[in-house]
Amino acid sequence: MVVRVPPPSAQPRSRLRVLLASGAAALALAAGSIVPGVPLVAAPQQAQAADSGKSTLTVAVAQSVDSLSPFLAQKLFSTSVSRLMYDFLTNYDAKDNHAIPGLATKWEPSADKLTWTYTIRSDSKWSDGQQVTAEDAAWTFNKIMSDEGAAQANGNFVANFEKVTAPSPTQLVIQLKEPQATMAALDVPIVPKHVWEKVGDFSKFNNDTKFPIVGNGPFILTDYKVDQYVKLKANKDFWRGAPKFDELVFKTYKDQDAAVAALRKGEVSFVAGSPALTPAQAASLKGEKNVKVNEGPGRRFFALATNPGAQTKDGKNFGDGNKALLDQKVRQALFLSIDRKTIIDKVFQGHAVEGQGYIPPRFSTYFWQPSAEQSLAYDPAKAAQLLDDAGYKLKGDQRVGKDGKPLDLRILCHATDPNDKAIGKYLKEWWGKLGIGLKVDCLDDVSVPWYAGEYDLAFDGWSVNPDPDFVLGIHTCAALPAKAKDSAATDNFICDKTYDELYKKQLAEYDPAKRADIVKQMESWMYDSGYMNIIAYPNAVEAYRTDQIKSITTMPSAAGNIYGQDGYWSWWSAVPAGSSSSDGSGGSSSTGVVIGVIVVVVVLAAGGLFIARRRRTTVDDRE
Amino acid sequence: MTAESTPALVQIADADTEDPAQAGSSAARGPRARNTKAYLQYVAAKIAGATVSLFAVLVTSFFLFRLIPSDPVKQMTGGRPVSAEQLQSLRHQFGLDQPMWRQFTSYVGDALTGDFGTSFQFHAPVIDKITEALPATLLLTGTSYVLYTALGIWLGTRTAWRNGSTSDRFNTAFALTLYSVPSFWLGLLLIIVFSVGVGPIPGMFPTGGLESGGESGFAYILDVAHHLVLPVITLVAVGYAQTLLVMRSSLLDEMGSDYLTTARAKGLRDDVVRRKHAVPNAMLPTFTLMFVNLGHVVAGQILVETVFSWPGLGGLFYQGLSVPDLPLVQGLFFVFATAVILANTLADVLYPLLDPRVGR
């Protein structure tokens, strides 16, 4: 075999040159990527901030911003940033969630229940100095009503609006098609008309090109970098009073363990779970110095939903839900054989409260509990009795129906949720003892079989708002899909006359106490029906640094949560501990480290160069 | 290298039957012209193949993500109070109420003009989202690529040359161990040790992100470099073993060759024999690997980008998939595939030039 030795000129260069070339390539790559992204505007402000020792509250967030336009933003994080940038007509009291003044100081319905008049406060100014008027609010609502592109995020709030006008700068009048009790719960950010009327296509305008963004909330958004951070500064002129921290930064952490590490280091002041820190994370932070783990009642419920027979609005049945579940006795038997206490202890490891009624206890006005005789507490013997009564007798170790078929069920589970899987195992065991077979179908996205009605049971859960209208509305007949398998507003195809009548009644009831009473009747009906079995209310578990945050308002204020509140209470009320201890230390030490790293690299490179040169000389000499 | 490249290479080698010593003489003008022509034909075939592949990818990307059973509108609005009319309006806006064939033809038609549509969740053109995240990915994976390739080649050469020695055994075992470590786990470990600090080791590096925000000029470059250290170390640590092993085995193949004995017999220093004679011949398989890896530079590293909250394409793809944000994932998939196809085509085209036994 003849193998040609390449001529000397074509030879690869020495090791050193290869290394130098790689280094240069790396630098070129780095330079090419860095330079276009240099922020030009924010820099001087930042430098100043570091020098004058402004207090900064840094919050680790898991979600990224989908849009900074309040007309488009869908994600929870983006909508909560809107809450900080723009004032809403009303707000929710941190103590008990009742509606309190926001941009509107008072609101009242007409005698015929169809006209609401809001008094707009005269002490609120846009951050560019202009006065906030009722005209801004009227323009915002009218825009959502008339422009499909502007209705993406908040269209549901105006669906029942007939007409919105501003007869005077302090008076906003909303006329309705039907009476609506939720008029103090219009969670719509009011934007400055003089800025937004210049926007052409609302469906494409993301409000992220010009900073600072004109607003009138407790904070003014000053800078934003996609998937990295959102920076806001305190609005010193905010009518309720200026926030105590000078700056609020939301920093994106896509990995929750990394966010916990950042808290431990002091790089961030606050970390929330998504939706909660895992029991392991909470446990590891509990002993940490200067870190406080805060556990408050969650706003979510975790439930088991049964398929009541999927149907369309005009009553066409579809799907393949097990017919046995159409029998209320069977549904109740299933729920009588669930040991909720074990689930709380073993699966949630104590970070949840046992569930009963549809609305979590943190919303005390609407919280409902079954009476002793109504209660479906853990009772396998009673469950077996109910199954016998329903015609599902034990044959060997299997329940068999009148048609001779064994009672085998499927449950939809979210593959991404470890709780679903763990609870699925318990259910298999408990229901197995009763003679019921269970197949746990874990999928990345359960929505397709769910909307096709191709399931028997499903793990379900909703985040509840202070006003329960929405979570109640998803069980009305009106929420059913128009066509089979279409996704719709419905949660799990419940459609019942009694429930619907109660729903209409509560929406038209303007007396808060009477309305709460009707809502409780609905919860009671739902409980008895056995369609929705609320297993637990998972707690919100989060942590913050006590050496950076001295105090912060929770919601409810007695032992509540901090992240994802209804309102801006937490960040608006947070008091800094001492002065600027948060990022000053990190910055200076990091600069030192960078310099150190550079020195080491330079020394190593010089040493390498020296050795290579020496070697090269010897080689050349010998050759 | 793609499989179909081999026959073409052989064809070129067959065409090159002239004595290379005559290559420079006037008599060799004919064969040389023939060679150039054959090479150009070969290149044209490769480019045509790549174009066909790109079109296939375009079509695949449309159907691939529609196979995921899911409802983007419902996912995006999940948990928020949204009425049925609003859901319908969103579906209409996203074009999801159109028949599949119309969605497909408009997607392909638009894509051919460079328009990949508007992201469902970000309300911005997909191309804008990609160009926004691309620099961050190129910075991270590009830097790592250069470093792990250089390190792999260097260590691969050393270990092969000292085959069987303690350092060879140690280096190979160490590289293989790192290679089998999950990158996100190593990343988290580095964060705990070097960001938070353990025992006497101080927390030196940031826990995530690309920048602290607010720096400018040289301070900004330093800040980004500071943020870059840990993710790059992670990628280099799990990535260099592959190059090391390929380099090592191909150099071991060369080491028994006669030409090396000849070189040594000439009295050349061991170092020179290795650098100037053995390594260039052993580089060819490594070149192939380098081009394959180059194609993956654009795709980023989803896990590492996630652990270090790096605002790159990998993270964007993950966010797109979770909806699924169809225009976004389609566009990203196409860009990723294009990068790999281009790198492969480049490898195919350059290979005859790099290999002296084949190219001339």
Side-chain angles (χ1 to χ4, degrees):
Chain A
M1 187 179 80
V2 180
V3 181
R4 205 182 310 150
V5 180
S9 61
Q11 280 180 8
R13 295 175 185 91
S14 72
R15 229 175 331 155
L16 176 72
R17 282 198 205 157
V18 171
L19 274 178
L20 282 179
S22 332
L27 268 179
L29 263 170
S33 313
I34 291 167
V35 176
V38 175
L40 296 170
V41 188
Q45 290 169 353
Q46 271 303 305
Q48 215 179 11
D51 291 342
S52 59
K54 280 188 175 176
S55 55
T56 302
L57 174 58
T58 311
V59 178
V61 286
Q63 266 185 349
S64 55
V65 170
D66 54 344
S67 178
L68 284 178
S69 161
F71 296 98
L72 298 177
Q74 306 276 357
K75 294 188 180 177
L76 176 69
F77 170 54
S78 318
T79 51
S80 65
V81 171
S82 293
R83 188 47 128 166
L84 299 171
M85 295 159 68
Y86 304 102
D87 216 357
F88 295 9
L89 287 181
T90 56
N91 208 328
Y92 302 98
D93 189 273
K95 264 190 219 108
D96 61 359
N97 287 297
H98 80 272
I100 56 166
L103 188 58
T105 52
K106 78 179 182 188
W107 49 95
E108 50 196 7
S110 61
D112 67 355
K113 293 186 165 189
L114 288 173
T115 305
W116 284 77
T117 307
Y118 297 79
T119 307
I120 303 296
R121 64 176 58 252
S122 48
D123 58 350
S124 178
K125 275 201 167 131
W126 297 113
S127 51
D128 60 1
Q130 293 211 33
Q131 179 68 35
V132 181
T133 66
E135 183 56 34
D136 292 308
W139 185 85
T140 305
F141 287 119
N142 278 314
K143 192 76 211 172
I144 300 173
M145 285 160 71
S146 61
D147 184 340
E148 201 188 11
Q152 287 195 21
N154 299 313
N156 56 297
F157 288 107
V158 301
N160 185 32
F161 285 15
E162 181 75 50
K163 198 174 158 198
V164 184
T165 50
S168 83
T170 55
Q171 211 182 28
L172 176 76
V173 178
I174 300 179
Q175 280 167 277
L176 300 173
K177 294 174 193 157
E178 305 269 336
Q180 179 179 328
T182 58
M183 293 302 283
L186 298 173
D187 291 341
V188 180
I190 304 297
V191 300
K193 179 190 171 192
H194 64 280
V195 176
W196 284 79
E197 63 187 354
K198 291 169 197 147
V199 173
D201 185 353
F202 272 71
S203 68
K204 290 196 176 122
F205 179 71
N206 279 314
N207 196 22
D208 55 3
T209 43
K210 229 169 123 188
F211 301 108
I213 295 172
V214 178
N216 66 334
F219 290 91
I220 309 293
L221 198 141
T222 53
D223 193 12
Y224 161 62
K225 271 232 172 126
V226 181
D227 264 3
Q228 294 192 63
Y229 57 77
V230 178
K231 284 190 179 178
L232 303 108
K233 70 165 193 219
N235 180 3
K236 299 288 176 201
D237 301 322
F238 187 55
W239 62 269
R240 207 188 283 275
K244 318 288 185 297
F245 273 93
D246 300 309
E247 199 182 32
L248 174 61
V249 179
F250 292 102
K251 211 172 155 203
T252 310
Y253 280 90
K254 290 173 189 163
D255 182 272
Q256 197 163 293
D257 286 316
V260 168
L263 180 83
R264 197 167 265 145
K265 190 189 172 193
E267 220 173 88
V268 298
S269 327
F270 177 92
V271 60
S274 51
L277 292 179
T278 64
Q281 286 166 340
S284 80
L285 283 173
K286 254 180 187 145
E288 196 84 14
K289 201 181 150 211
N290 294 331
V291 170
K292 181 174 159 51
V293 175
N294 182 56
E295 186 160 351
R299 57 191 307 160
R300 287 184 72 80
F301 62 74
F302 182 91
L304 210 55
T306 57
N307 183 348
Q311 54 177 317
T312 59
K313 247 179 210 158
D314 47 11
K316 274 189 202 120
N317 290 321
F318 62 97
D320 61 1
N322 195 314
K323 298 273 183 290
L325 291 174
L326 297 179
D327 189 334
Q328 187 183 3
K329 281 186 187 136
V330 177
R331 296 195 297 266
Q332 290 190 338
L334 291 179
F335 299 157
L336 280 164
S337 51
I338 295 175
D339 181 359
R340 291 184 181 76
K341 198 174 171 310
T342 300
I343 290 177
I344 303 291
D345 291 347
K346 304 286 184 203
V347 180
F348 291 97
Q349 298 189 24
H351 298 289
V353 175
E354 212 176 306
Q356 285 174 307
Y358 188 65
I359 292 167
R362 79 177 268 154
F363 302 108
S364 51
T365 320
Y366 301 107
F367 178 57
W368 170 89
Q369 279 174 296
S371 59
E373 63 266 26
Q374 202 180 354
S375 171
L376 297 170
Y378 183 53
D379 190 347
K382 199 172 160 194
Q385 182 61 49
L386 274 178
L387 286 170
D388 284 344
D389 293 352
Y392 293 91
K393 306 271 185 202
L394 258 186
K395 214 178 214 178
D397 55 358
Q398 264 188 338
R399 290 268 160 194
V400 177
K402 283 171 195 148
D403 55 2
K405 282 187 190 158
L407 183 53
D408 285 327
L409 302 172
R410 303 158 293 172
I411 185 162
L412 276 179
C413 118
H414 303 80
T416 46
D417 190 339
N419 289 347
D420 281 13
K421 286 185 195 163
I423 296 171
K425 280 185 190 152
Y426 279 108
L427 293 182
K428 226 173 170 164
E429 187 190 323
W430 293 329
W431 293 353
K433 279 184 192 158
L434 282 175
I436 301 168
L438 180 68
K439 185 171 166 255
V440 184
D441 289 329
C442 289
L443 304 170
D444 280 334
D445 184 355
V446 296
S447 67
V448 170
W450 198 312
Y451 285 96
E454 287 160 2
Y455 69 100
D456 301 326
L457 294 124
F459 288 108
D460 198 356
W462 285 90
S463 199
V464 179
N465 291 322
D467 191 289
D469 182 66
F470 172 72
V471 283
L472 294 173
I474 56 178
H475 298 301
T476 59
C477 301
L480 290 176
K483 272 196 311 197
K485 300 189 179 188
D486 254 12
S487 63
T490 187
D491 179 29
N492 66 332
F493 305 104
I494 296 175
C495 173
D496 181 272
K497 231 173 157 184
T498 322
Y499 183 87
D500 266 22
E501 271 163 23
L502 287 170
Y503 175 78
K504 269 190 201 133
K505 237 169 102 183
Q506 65 84 28
L507 192 58
E509 180 53 68
Y510 284 10
D511 180 325
K514 283 187 191 155
R515 181 171 176 227
D517 192 53
I518 304 169
V519 170
K520 286 177 189 173
Q521 287 177 43
M522 296 171 79
E523 291 182 77
S524 172
W525 178 89
M526 188 114 76
Y527 186 84
D528 290 340
S529 75
Y531 287 136
M532 290 286 287
N533 181 33
I534 313 297
I535 294 178
Y537 312 113
N539 288 345
V541 187
E542 49 205 7
Y544 65 89
R545 286 198 71 96
T546 49
D547 56 349
Q548 294 179 14
I549 302 173
K550 193 169 152 198
S551 68
I552 193 161
T553 300
T554 58
M555 187 173 184
S557 43
N561 70 307
I562 294 168
Y563 189 82
Q565 296 181 352
D566 298 292
Y568 37 67
W569 308 114
S570 46
W571 315 130
W572 173 74
S573 70
V575 178
S579 60
S580 73
S581 59
S582 54
D583 52 351
S585 60
S588 62
S589 78
S590 66
T591 316
V593 170
V594 170
I595 293 168
V597 168
I598 290 171
V599 169
V600 170
V601 168
V602 169
V603 168
L604 282 179
L609 193 77
F610 177 68
I611 292 168
R613 286 226 157 246
R614 257 193 60 188
R615 268 194 158 170
R616 177 144 263 262
T617 337
T618 346
V619 169
D620 289 345
D621 286 351
R622 287 205 183 186
E623 271 178 317
Chain B
M1 292 292 282
T2 50
E4 74 264 31
S5 67
T6 321
L9 285 179
V10 172
Q11 205 184 337
I12 285 180
D14 288 345
D16 189 11
T17 47
E18 304 296 322
D19 183 352
Q22 293 175 7
S25 71
S26 56
R29 196 172 288 150
R32 185 185 237 185
R34 253 205 333 270
N35 278 351
T36 316
K37 201 177 157 208
Y39 179 67
L40 286 179
Q41 271 173 354
Y42 165 78
V43 170
K46 286 291 146 199
I47 291 176
T51 316
V52 172
S53 305
L54 281 178
F55 191 74
V57 164
L58 190 67
V59 173
T60 316
S61 64
F62 179 84
F63 291 105
L64 188 65
F65 298 105
R66 275 169 177 77
L67 288 179
I68 306 173
S70 133
D71 178 357
V73 173
K74 201 73 197 173
Q75 280 285 322
M76 269 177 58
T77 55
R80 290 185 63 255
V82 179
S83 63
E85 293 78 31
Q86 234 174 313
L87 289 175
Q88 192 49 43
S89 149
L90 278 177
R91 241 191 303 279
H92 175 69
Q93 212 150 28
F94 296 160
L96 291 169
D97 54 352
Q98 305 266 343
M100 190 69 98
W101 65 268
R102 188 169 294 163
Q103 290 185 42
F104 176 70
T105 47
S106 66
Y107 165 67
V108 173
D110 289 348
L112 289 178
T113 62
D115 175 9
F116 283 90
T118 303
S119 156
F120 291 166
Q121 54 178 332
F122 297 109
H123 314 278
V126 167
I127 289 294
D128 288 3
K129 290 305 290 181
I130 292 176
T131 44
E132 201 172 70
L134 186 64
T137 288
L138 286 186
L139 176 65
L140 173 61
T141 46
T143 312
S144 316
Y145 172 77
V146 170
L147 290 178
Y148 71 65
T149 305
L151 185 68
I153 291 175
W154 181 63
L155 276 180
T157 313
R158 303 232 119 201
T159 51
W161 208 251
R162 290 173 198 164
N163 183 23
S165 70
T166 318
S167 81
D168 170 34
R169 284 204 304 271
F170 172 77
N171 260 316
T172 316
F174 189 65
L176 275 176
T177 311
L178 283 177
Y179 187 49
S180 48
V181 162
S183 56
F184 69 93
W185 182 80
L186 182 68
L188 264 182
L189 210 65
L190 289 178
I191 289 178
I192 291 165
V193 176
F194 296 106
S195 285
V196 181
V198 171
I201 303 171
M204 290 178 280
F205 298 100
T207 46
L210 179 140
E211 54 167 313
S212 312
E215 310 280 352
S216 69
F218 187 62
Y220 177 73
I221 294 176
L222 273 189
D223 185 47
V224 172
H226 194 201
H227 282 78
L228 196 60
V229 175
L230 291 187
V232 164
I233 290 178
T234 311
L235 284 178
V236 170
V238 297
Y240 81 95
Q242 210 185 2
T243 318
L244 182 150
L245 292 177
V246 171
M247 190 64 207
R248 181 175 176 273
S249 69
S250 59
L251 188 57
L252 280 178
D253 282 348
E254 296 292 329
M255 273 168 64
S257 306
D258 294 341
Y259 73 90
L260 292 186
T261 317
T262 314
R264 283 204 185 88
K266 282 200 300 189
L268 289 186
R269 208 184 124 106
D270 195 45
D271 189 39
V272 179
V273 174
R274 187 185 77 225
R275 267 193 299 118
K276 298 198 170 170
H277 295 233
V279 169
N281 283 318
M283 274 302 286
L284 291 167
T286 315
F287 270 123
T288 311
L289 180 67
M290 278 166 67
F291 277 107
V292 170
N293 285 339
L294 185 66
H296 293 295
V297 162
V298 173
Q301 293 283 345
I302 296 181
L303 292 175
V304 173
E305 283 194 4
T306 305
V307 169
F308 288 99
S309 308
W310 198 260
L313 292 177
L316 192 62
F317 193 55
Y318 176 77
Q319 281 179 36
L321 271 180
S322 62
V323 171
D325 188 338
L326 293 172
L328 186 63
V329 287
Q330 279 164 194
L332 279 169
F333 180 78
F334 184 73
V335 169
F336 294 164
T338 306
V340 173
I341 290 171
L342 283 185
N344 272 322
T345 312
L346 198 64
D348 285 349
V349 169
L350 289 183
Y351 206 76
L353 303 177
L354 291 170
D355 190 344
R357 287 165 296 186
V358 174
R360 267 158 286 182

